[in-house]
Amino acid sequence: MTKILFHLAFPVTDIASTKAFYVDGLGCLAGRESDNSIILSLYGHQLVAHVVDGELEPQPGIYPRHFGLVFECESSWMALLEKVQEKRLKFYQSPKVRFADTPLEHRTFFLSDYSGNILEFKHYRFESAIFGETSYNQIGDVISISKKQKHLVRKE
């Protein structure tokens, strides 16, 4: 079977701080680079950071937009957590367990890069929760979305 890679393009304020976070901090491999963009390999998936003019509007929280990885192996998740702590990357939300003692139980933490993009890294106790367990309706944390956020979510 042919390998298929995930691709994500996202905004950043500059290339230097992006490399510091993703390459030096998370251990991504750097690919092609220009003054305005850099291609990164995050565990074999293609991220492309594009510099935008002006300030990036800070997100009001982890919803509605963040990205990251789901680790099938808990030891791999732990290894990344240890690297993040060693490199002193900024936690947006510290490591925690969600939905403890249920089929949806997972360990998670969130980071914020230097441009304000939020990343989540998680490991499900039961692999069936990644795409299954459809009899449950819990997804993420309970949140309160403002009218402005609801309008933005509906537009997209």
Side-chain angles (χ1 to χ4, degrees):
M1 176 182 238
T2 304
K3 185 175 180 181
I4 298 172
L5 305 178
F6 180 76
H7 162 81
L8 174 72
F10 61 101
V12 296
T13 55
D14 66 90
I15 297 300
S17 69
T18 299
K19 285 174 73 173
F21 181 86
Y22 289 91
V23 176
D24 301 336
L26 288 180
C28 290
L29 300 176
R32 292 186 308 279
E33 178 181 340
S34 72
D35 291 341
N36 297 310
S37 300
I38 185 169
I39 295 175
L40 303 160
S41 172
L42 177 65
Y43 288 82
H45 299 283
Q46 186 189 57
L47 301 181
V48 184
H50 295 281
V51 175
V52 296
D53 291 331
E55 294 281 323
L56 290 173
E57 189 171 323
Q59 288 185 216
I62 59 175
Y63 305 113
R65 183 175 56 85
H66 63 269
F67 66 94
L69 297 173
V70 176
F71 289 84
E72 290 181 342
C73 178
E74 185 176 22
S75 63
S76 296
W77 182 85
M78 286 298 301
L80 178 63
L81 175 59
E82 290 169 6
K83 178 186 278 189
V84 163
Q85 291 169 329
E86 176 186 311
K87 298 290 185 171
R88 296 189 173 144
L89 296 181
K90 179 183 171 188
F91 283 102
Y92 189 85
Q93 283 187 7
S94 296
K96 65 181 179 181
V97 174
R98 281 184 172 154
F99 310 122
D101 302 319
T102 75
L104 304 179
E105 181 176 321
H106 63 280
R107 300 178 75 176
T108 185
F109 65 88
F110 289 82
L111 302 175
S112 177
D113 72 13
Y114 301 125
S115 296
N117 295 295
I118 300 171
L119 295 84
E120 180 181 18
F121 300 94
K122 56 187 168 180
H123 166 72
Y124 285 92
R125 182 172 176 199
F126 304 104
E127 188 176 334
S128 61
I130 297 172
F131 295 112
E133 302 300 344
T134 58
S135 61
Y136 292 84
N137 65 358
Q138 296 98 331
I139 301 173
D141 295 324
V142 175
I143 60 165
S144 174
I145 297 179
S146 70
K147 287 181 183 179
K148 180 180 178 183
Q149 287 175 301
K150 285 180 185 176
H151 177 71
L152 290 173
V153 171
R154 274 191 241 125
K155 285 177 88 174
E156 295 180 5

